[in-house]
Structures are given as structure tokens and as C-alpha cells.
Amino acid sequence: MCSLPKPANIDNNRDAEGEILQKLAESTKTEEPVVGKNRAGETTTQATLQERAKRGRESEARGERGLIKRTREEEAHTDEEDEAKPLVLSSSGHASSPTGRRSREENGFKDDEGTTDRTRPGASNSYPSHFTEDMLPVAKFCGISLRRREAAVSANALLDYTWQKLNTGHWQDVPITWRLVFTWGSIAVVHILLADLQLSLSGGANTTQAHFSSAAEIVRACDRGLLMGAPVGDNPLHKVASLFNSHARLSATMADLPAEALPVAQQDKATVHFPLPSGRCPPLDRFLLNYMNKSVPVKLLGIVDHWPALKMWRIPYLRELAGARTVPVEVGARYTDSTWSQTLLTLDEYLTRYVSQPAAGAPTGYLAQHQLLDQIPELRDDLLVPDYCHLGEEEPRLHAWLGPRGTVSPLHHDPDHNILVQVLGYKYIRLYAEDQSPLCIPPRPLLSNTSQAEIEGPQADWPLLQQAQYHDLILAPGESLYIPPRYWHYVRSLSTSFSVSFWWR
Amino acid sequence: MALVACGLNANSQITPAGPPLLCCPTPVRDKKDVCEVHIACSHILWKTNAGWQITGYRNLDYSLEEEMAQRWKISMSEMRMAAINDDGAVVLREKGQWRKLFFQRDTAMDSRNLGPSVQQVEDQDRIAESENGKMYSIGVPLPYGGSRISVVEVGKEHCMALTTDGVVLTWGSGIDSKVEEIRTNEQSGNDHKASLEGTGDCRTDPRINKGRAKDVVNVQTSPRLLDFWNEDMAIIDVKGGDRHTLYQLEDGSVWSTGMNKYGQLGLGDTAERNEPCLVPVTGVRTMFAGGWISVFIATDTSGR
């Protein structure tokens, strides 16, 4: 990592920030409202747009320098550096590529040998006139100098090579260095995309719709870097993604769904047979002694009363904040099914297709167990980590669970303490103690913490299960549930639901 | 002989001073009589009548080609190169030198080197096959009490071998760790063998990702019969890059499918394909694929 040079003209481009801002403002202002849906405030003031683009470029530059500095401080020389070198060296610097020329000369090729290839018809200097999403962004700018195209291709190649490394073997075994390279590579690609957008804005050749598509592409590239890269402090990808989210959303035509503004009511039925006792804001020491140490679950009331999220987290708010962001969605009735799969969608697509307007007969889609609050830090600002979660030895980890009615998490247990907070909507939960394990049916071969039993399935199919003792409850907005480690739990949503879980040990 | 290639060219591995990617099969002018090609992401090793030649990224190893003799059997990946030299010894290129590898063997066998055997190397695995059909992985014989192994291929996560009985063996991660036996006939054995050059990783096989969302990796752990062409049409060669596949049919046509972000499918654009598409090259004798690059050697001088 020490040898990675930063792109040469970071500082040169700082002046050009002013350009990007003005052009973005101008082009958006002069466009008729038919383009996308001009939500209120989209074309507000030049100031807003200027601010955004400026902050985007600044945080890019800052973040790159910071990341390089940080990675320099870490382990000096690894094999992974050697692997990444060819693509990194050729993508260094937009302005000059001395290494490229040197390697060509060393290979015995004179520069004039190449010229005939360049002018040959059919050689790939001209790109087809219609573009699909897959095409490199560089293809849109045929007039740009060769160096810039080379840098874009090389940066993408570096990302692809690293992506392939990240997808080989088990995720846990992937060295952190490769994930750092992926973060750095994503920052480089986003930097290049921003520069291209700036140039295109000053050129005036592209339509506003094309600019919105570029914004969407930038957000997608940021999210890829965030999802698969290493967690890095002060990551510029966050800033850039949130800055361009609203413009990116305009690239996709989304019909407004007025039903989403209504409050969420419990739609599905569930009967509680053995209600779990509840407690209102138990003192910390009581919680530790009576519940954590004794592995006793409890329904907690009033512990999140001051969360802004309780008032703010509605579907339209989520769309505005993060509609263009890419999120991983689990598709299928349960994660134990053979047809279960994961897919990547924008939050807008997910909310429309799987939450608000699911097609009849379509499989359920669940935004489950994703660190949405790390990906979109603005959401994290809407909540406060309950004090109880700090009673362990490690920092609590947060996950978001967003889905329609009817999502099911089959009976399973987790190794950590868990407080599940219900923010929006309703969930039915059933709990079995660890000593009921023999009655909960042997676990599946590959998922040793998951039972095969269908909790709400036909009782005749699961006779052993009927002998097990359990507690159950319905969680309403503002209510929470403490689940001890290794305690079996089964969850079914009774409406559109948004929950946050805190895991700690 | 007409030599054309397409794919990533950011390191000038295909043509010097050319565009960073080539999405049409482009003539490679400066090499004569190329008979063998090994392709990695950032560099290409060409074998000509005059000797070996490397284009692309070199990692400061400038004396490599001079130290390689014509008859050597080469196996190359992005990070490693191994060869079986004239003495029949297995050598690995490390830090500008060739290092001999020593393989463990039964005391019952003699102590000579392995002889001219097939050898494959990938980033993590090394494997060799001896004359009498025994296989060695990083120096340890692999137990398979069956018939002789005729071909062995190494991918990023698993390996495959074809026995003379037509049985395909696979082992590695993603599959239960024992050697898995798949009965198949000799005909399709060829497909299996060739499908493992490159990563050989079922996960990134573009055929498997048909119709799935982009960026999603799905796993297919056992070979699946492709039925794109009708049954009479024989496939005579299959080559795989990191994320694309090339097919050569008996009528001489060449088809490509998979990732195309760097133009490696040779179809004139950079859109990925989920089904094999006809590549505009004629008279192709042999083809090679690796990394994000495809190379075609044709007899017809007018073939692009």
C-alpha cells in the first residue's frame, strides 16, 4: 500500500469545483419539470447544488489522502500489493503515465508502431451510440484524452480484480488488505466519475437526464465500495453517496405511492398464548442481574421513547434520504428454503416492489440483517443505543430489519445478547429457552443454529414441538425485546416493519 | 497465421500504445507464428518459433523469457509461473529466478524427477501429475484409487481431473471436502476440462449467472449440461477466462459469453452476454482465454 501514488491532479481540480456546482445548478434549473419528478426543493437554489457538489469533491480529496496516509501506516509490504500493482500503477495520475510508457519501451515496442492500430476502422476508438449500464463511464466521453480513459479503465480493472479476490473463498478468510484495496479502488473510480461529470456539465452536450444517470452511477459505485470494502473511518464514499442521492433518484421514474404516507397498522393476525412478562425501563443493575445473568428474556417498554426515529422513520422519509442507495435483499419465504437467494436493489426499487406494492404470488423480499445504519449514517443519528447494550464486554453491533408483512425468520438462536427494537409496524415473536432444544427438532445440516420446525405450521407435522414450552408476544412501535444468547426465537412480521437489533457480548 | 485479440489492454498486453480496452478482435502485428498463449489479467505470455515473449505488466522481471526454453511446459497465473523444464523437473519462477520444486513420493517409487508430466498452477494451489497417473498437490499425493488421470485442471477454489475412464473428479472448497465423483462420457469430458482454464471457479462461471441480478454471485456445485446448440453440433474446444467463456464449434465458428466489460467477448461493445454469441472471426484454428482477454489464432489472413 505504501507505493500507491495518489492521482496527480487532485489539487488542480479543487478550483474546478466551482464549475461543477454552477453547471449542475444551471442545467437543473433550466430543465422543465417533466424531467424526473421535480420533488419540492430539488431545483431549489444554486447554493444547495453548489454546496453538494463542492462537498462531494472536497470529501473525496480529503478522504483519499486520509486513506492513503492510513494505509501507509499499516503493514508495509504484502503480497497483495504486488498483485494490485500492475493495475494501480497504470491508473495512477490522469495527467501522465510515465510507467506506462516505460513498460512499453522495455517491451521493445516503439511508440510509432501503435499508431496504425489507432486509426484502423473498427478498432475500438469509437463506441456504439447506445449505452447500457454495463459500459464503462469512459465510453461516454470519446473526446476526452486517452490518458483519462486509461485511468478509468485501469481503475475499473483494479476494482474488478479485487472484487474477484473478495469473492474467492470464505468471506471471513479474505485478508483485510484486499478489502482496503477495494475501498481505495472505489474511491478512485468515484473520483474519476465525479471528474467526468464535472467535465460533462461544462461541456453542455449531455442532457440533464444523462447527468442524473451519472449521479446514480456514482451512488452505485459508492455503495459497492461501502458494501464490500473495509470499514474505514471518515470514508468519503458516505458523503458522496448521500450528497448525490437525491439527483440519483431522479434518474429512475418512480410513481408516487400515497399509501406510504399513512401510519402503519397491524394487518395480520397473531394470537399470544403465553405472554412474556414486560418491564418498563428497569434499572441497569436489575437488568444485568435478573435478565442478562439469568438468561431470561423480557419485553422492555419505554427504553426508546426519545428516539427521533419513532416519529421520523416512515417510508417516504427513507426514500428521500436513501432511495438511490443499493441494499442487499433476501428473496424467498425463509432463509432455509432452497429457492432463497440474495439480490441487490436500490432502496426505491425494494420499497416499491417488495414492501408497498408486492405483486401477487411474488416471493417475499426482506432487507434483513444488513448494516444499513453504517451504510447510511444519517439514519443512525435518529436513534440512541440503549444503555443496556453497553453492559457487555464489546461494543454493540447494529442491524436494520426492513420488510413487508409476512416476513418470517425461522426458529433459530444467536450467540450474542440481543435487544430488538420495533420502530415501525408490528411483529409476532415466539421464544423457546435453551433447555427446550431437544424438542425444537434437530438443526439443519448446514445451519447449526436453525431449527427445521415450522413454528406456525400444522401441529400434526411437528408433534415434538408441541410439548415444548414457550413465551410469545407482539411487538408494537416503541417496544423492545431482550433475547438472551442461544435463546430460540421465531419472528413473523404482521405489517410493514422496520426494526433495529443490537447484538453484544 | 493471423493473430487477433480483444479485451483489457490497459497494460499494453495486446497492442502497444493502443486504447485501454479492445472490444473488437484486433490484429496483433508484431508476433510471428504464435503457437501457444498463456493469459493473465495484466500480462500475456506468447510462444513463437523464435522463443517466448511477454507483453503487459512485468513486475521488474526482465530476464524471464531468455531463461525459458522452447520445449518447456508452462503454466501461468496472475501471480505465478511454473514450468516443467528440459530435465523434467518442476520449476517455479520466484524473485527473478527459477526454483526447483521437490515432490514427496512413495518410497516404493524411484527417486527420479516426475518426468514430463502435466502440471497446472493457480494462485493458491500447485498440482502435478506424474507419468503413471499419480497426482500431487503441493507435494502430497492425492488419494484416488481409480484409473489413470489424463488431465488435471486447477481453478481458484477447486480442482478437477479427468480419468481415462471418463470420470470427472472434483475437489476443493464449496464442495464437500472429499473427492467427488461425477460419471460422464468422454465427449463432454472435453468441455469439463477446458472449462477450468482460468479461474475454473463455478461461482464466476458466466453460464451460471444467467438471468440473475448483476453483482450477485451464485454457486453451481456440479457440472450442468448446456443445450444451447442442437445435439448434432459438436463443440471442439472450450476456453474460460476469469469471467467469460469461449466456444469453438466443429463448423469453425467461435462463440463467446459472459462478462464483457473490457470487450473480451470480441463483439464490438462492452455489454455482457448471458448466452453464447457469434464472434466475428473466421478461420480460427486455436483460441485462448484468460483474465479479461481472448486471443484467436486463425489461418485465414483476411480474418480480422
Side-chain angles (χ1 to χ4, degrees):
Chain A
M1 283 297 185
C2 315
S3 53
L4 297 181
K6 63 175 194 208
N9 57 350
I10 270 187
D11 295 321
N12 298 349
N13 275 346
R14 279 180 145 276
D15 298 342
E17 281 162 11
E19 274 184 69
I20 239 195
L21 343 164
Q22 269 165 3
K23 302 305 174 185
L24 250 187
E26 279 162 28
S27 66
T28 329
K29 256 176 87 171
T30 54
E31 193 67 25
E32 303 94 46
V34 73
V35 166
K37 306 291 173 195
N38 269 347
R39 322 232 170 205
E42 265 322 304
T43 51
T44 35
T45 55
Q46 277 196 347
T48 322
L49 295 160
Q50 283 180 15
E51 234 343 85
R52 287 181 190 177
K54 181 175 179 161
R55 273 149 60 197
R57 295 304 302 276
E58 270 176 7
S59 61
E60 263 287 290
R62 227 189 357 253
E64 281 189 70
R65 283 197 288 273
L67 185 59
I68 293 163
K69 179 160 164 290
R70 206 168 303 115
T71 50
R72 271 191 193 138
E73 288 157 12
E74 287 168 26
E75 41 192 313
H77 194 265
T78 59
D79 283 336
E80 287 96 2
E81 282 177 49
D82 280 341
E83 269 194 86
K85 242 197 236 167
L87 299 164
V88 162
L89 282 178
S90 67
S91 73
S92 75
H94 303 191
S96 64
S97 58
T99 45
R101 201 177 308 125
R102 178 165 60 99
S103 71
R104 283 199 298 276
E105 282 168 0
E106 276 152 358
N107 287 339
F109 300 131
K110 307 265 186 334
D111 268 322
D112 40 304
E113 264 189 52
T115 47
T116 41
D117 285 304
R118 220 185 298 229
T119 53
R120 239 187 88 86
S124 311
N125 277 317
S126 59
Y127 295 89
S129 54
H130 68 281
F131 303 105
T132 65
E133 273 190 309
D134 298 302
M135 292 201 177
L136 297 177
V138 67
K140 297 179 190 166
F141 303 108
C142 299
I144 305 298
S145 75
L146 196 59
R147 294 288 188 275
R148 185 184 285 277
R149 278 218 310 259
E150 280 175 358
V153 172
S154 299
N156 274 286
L158 173 65
L159 262 196
D160 277 319
Y161 188 80
T162 312
W163 185 88
Q164 287 173 201
K165 285 286 173 197
L166 297 181
N167 276 288
T168 302
H170 282 290
W171 180 250
Q172 300 107 295
D173 297 336
V174 175
I176 194 75
T177 318
W178 276 117
R179 297 182 62 190
L180 278 168
V181 174
F182 197 82
T183 303
W184 195 96
S186 297
I187 293 176
V189 164
V190 169
H191 184 108
I192 291 170
L193 289 176
L194 283 173
D196 285 344
L197 177 60
Q198 169 195 332
L199 217 59
S200 136
L201 285 170
S202 35
N206 280 343
T207 63
T208 305
Q209 195 58 26
H211 293 146
F212 292 152
S213 296
S214 302
E217 194 170 7
I218 289 171
V219 173
R220 269 198 305 273
C222 289
D223 275 329
R224 268 182 106 199
L226 289 169
L227 282 173
M228 298 195 68
V232 169
D234 219 13
N235 196 334
L237 297 175
H238 282 127
K239 263 269 175 65
V240 177
S242 70
L243 280 176
F244 284 92
N245 175 67
S246 38
H247 290 96
R249 293 190 63 215
L250 294 174
S251 70
T253 44
M254 283 261 149
D256 271 330
L257 296 169
E260 287 178 349
L262 301 172
V264 173
Q266 180 184 336
Q267 295 161 289
D268 292 340
K269 291 222 180 325
T271 327
V272 174
H273 292 115
F274 300 99
L276 183 73
S278 52
R280 175 165 289 276
C281 294
L284 283 177
D285 59 333
R286 293 294 116 195
F287 182 80
L288 180 63
L289 294 173
N290 294 343
Y291 299 113
M292 275 180 69
N293 286 353
K294 292 187 182 163
S295 281
V296 172
V298 61
K299 182 174 179 181
L300 296 164
L301 304 173
I303 72 171
V304 296
D305 280 351
H306 293 119
W307 277 18
L310 286 177
K311 299 195 195 67
M312 296 177 67
W313 285 10
R314 304 282 179 269
I315 304 289
Y317 169 74
L318 296 175
R319 285 186 186 273
E320 271 181 40
L321 193 61
R325 308 296 301 271
T326 306
V327 290
V329 174
E330 302 181 354
V331 179
R334 303 132 218 266
Y335 67 77
T336 43
D337 285 348
S338 57
T339 52
W340 182 88
S341 69
Q342 286 183 302
T343 183
L344 295 173
L345 298 171
T346 64
L347 191 60
D348 270 331
E349 283 171 346
Y350 170 65
L351 290 171
T352 303
R353 259 200 266 166
Y354 288 98
V355 177
S356 302
Q357 277 187 340
T364 328
Y366 196 6
L367 209 181
Q369 202 176 321
H370 172 53
Q371 295 179 297
L372 191 70
L373 304 162
D374 289 337
Q375 187 188 358
I376 302 160
E378 292 92 334
L379 286 177
R380 199 165 162 152
D381 295 337
D382 292 336
L383 53 85
L384 299 146
V385 179
D387 292 337
Y388 307 106
C389 306
H390 295 294
L391 289 172
E393 291 167 3
E394 292 179 10
E395 280 298 299
R397 298 174 333 265
L398 281 66
H399 291 271
W401 309 76
L402 170 60
R405 62 197 272 202
T407 61
V408 169
S409 297
L411 191 71
H412 68 285
H413 61 84
D414 301 308
D416 299 333
H417 299 273
N418 182 5
I419 285 187
L420 178 69
V421 179
Q422 191 65 16
V423 180
L424 179 71
Y426 299 80
K427 273 191 165 143
Y428 170 75
I429 303 175
R430 192 181 289 193
L431 301 161
Y432 293 84
E434 199 177 347
D435 57 16
Q436 303 292 305
S437 295
L439 300 168
C440 290
I441 304 294
R444 304 177 65 87
L446 289 176
L447 300 167
S448 57
N449 69 334
T450 307
S451 160
Q452 289 188 38
E454 278 184 45
I455 295 300
E456 294 181 292
Q459 293 195 357
D461 286 351
W462 309 100
L464 217 53
L465 186 65
Q466 311 313 319
Q467 300 172 27
Q469 291 184 315
Y470 65 86
H471 282 115
D472 55 2
L473 64 146
I474 293 181
L475 269 188
E479 300 183 338
S480 317
L481 170 66
Y482 165 68
I483 306 176
R486 291 175 304 283
Y487 216 90
W488 295 94
H489 48 286
Y490 162 88
V491 185
R492 175 166 64 92
S493 65
L494 307 173
S495 68
T496 297
S497 159
F498 198 156
S499 332
V500 179
S501 64
F502 300 86
W503 276 328
W504 77 94
R505 53 180 68 186
Chain B
M1 178 213 78
L3 182 62
V4 294
C6 53
L8 182 76
N9 192 37
N11 303 94
S12 299
Q13 54 265 67
I14 301 178
T15 64
L21 63 86
L22 298 164
C23 57
C24 298
T26 307
V28 181
R29 289 243 162 76
D30 44 357
K31 291 167 196 50
K32 288 203 162 33
D33 302 322
V34 170
C35 49
E36 195 179 303
V37 182
H38 299 268
I39 307 174
C41 283
S42 68
H43 54 284
I44 303 179
L45 175 70
W46 315 82
K47 180 176 180 181
T48 70
N49 288 345
W52 298 90
Q53 197 178 15
I54 291 196
T55 57
Y57 184 75
R58 297 200 61 106
N59 198 20
L60 306 173
D61 191 351
Y62 302 119
S63 58
L64 176 60
E65 296 103 305
E66 290 129 33
E67 298 182 21
M68 292 164 62
Q70 268 308 86
R71 283 208 323 264
W72 284 20
K73 286 223 179 79
I74 298 288
S75 173
M76 189 177 87
S77 73
E78 175 64 30
M79 291 299 293
R80 276 179 191 78
M81 182 174 327
I84 298 185
N85 63 13
D86 294 331
D87 303 328
V90 177
V91 290
L92 192 68
R93 185 75 180 174
E94 265 179 9
K95 297 192 177 58
Q97 292 185 331
W98 291 102
R99 175 168 81 90
K100 242 193 217 181
L101 296 182
F102 294 94
F103 288 84
Q104 290 178 356
R105 55 186 66 247
D106 271 329
T107 47
M109 291 173 61
D110 63 9
S111 58
R112 278 177 312 181
N113 263 322
L114 283 176
S117 35
V118 171
Q119 200 232 183
Q120 297 291 330
V121 74
E122 241 306 328
D123 288 349
Q124 308 301 335
D125 241 330
R126 279 165 235 156
I127 194 165
E129 174 211 335
S130 72
E131 270 184 323
N132 58 358
K134 268 216 154 79
M135 278 191 303
Y136 297 84
S137 175
I138 321 179
V140 178
L142 293 169
Y144 176 67
S147 52
R148 285 199 47 167
I149 310 284
S150 56
V151 182
V152 67
E153 292 279 349
V154 176
K156 285 211 176 6
E157 284 190 281
H158 70 302
C159 309
M160 271 172 101
L162 176 67
T163 73
T164 50
D165 293 337
V167 174
V168 175
L169 306 169
T170 67
W171 66 97
S173 70
I175 307 166
D176 288 344
S177 53
K178 64 182 189 333
V179 175
E180 186 182 309
E181 193 175 298
I182 301 159
R183 291 249 148 220
T184 178
N185 56 30
E186 285 288 350
Q187 172 79 26
S188 53
N190 235 350
D191 289 351
H192 289 293
K193 164 214 170 195
S195 81
L196 279 182
E197 295 187 31
T199 68
D201 189 354
C202 283
R203 281 187 182 184
T204 55
D205 185 339
R207 295 172 292 179
I208 313 304
N209 282 340
K210 224 184 234 200
R212 304 282 173 95
K214 290 192 289 282
D215 279 328
V216 174
V217 174
N218 290 301
V219 182
Q220 170 131 357
T221 54
S222 44
R224 191 182 63 138
L225 189 64
L226 298 186
D227 54 2
F228 185 75
W229 298 278
N230 66 42
E231 284 177 8
D232 305 328
M233 180 66 74
I235 304 171
I236 56 176
D237 197 10
V238 179
K239 291 289 199 305
D242 271 12
R243 290 167 70 186
H244 73 291
T245 312
L246 302 177
Y247 303 92
Q248 188 177 15
L249 307 185
E250 65 180 349
D251 65 0
S253 61
V254 171
W255 302 65
S256 61
T257 178
M259 182 214 216
N260 194 20
K261 192 169 166 188
Y262 302 98
Q264 57 261 57
L265 300 188
L267 302 172
D269 61 27
T270 54
E272 88 171 2
R273 301 294 201 277
N274 286 326
E275 284 187 341
C277 295
L278 189 58
V279 181
V281 279
T282 50
V284 171
R285 229 177 36 211
T286 45
M287 51 183 201
F288 301 91
W292 306 304
I293 293 165
S294 308
V295 174
F296 307 96
I297 302 181
T299 48
D300 191 358
T301 47
S302 69
R304 288 177 73 230

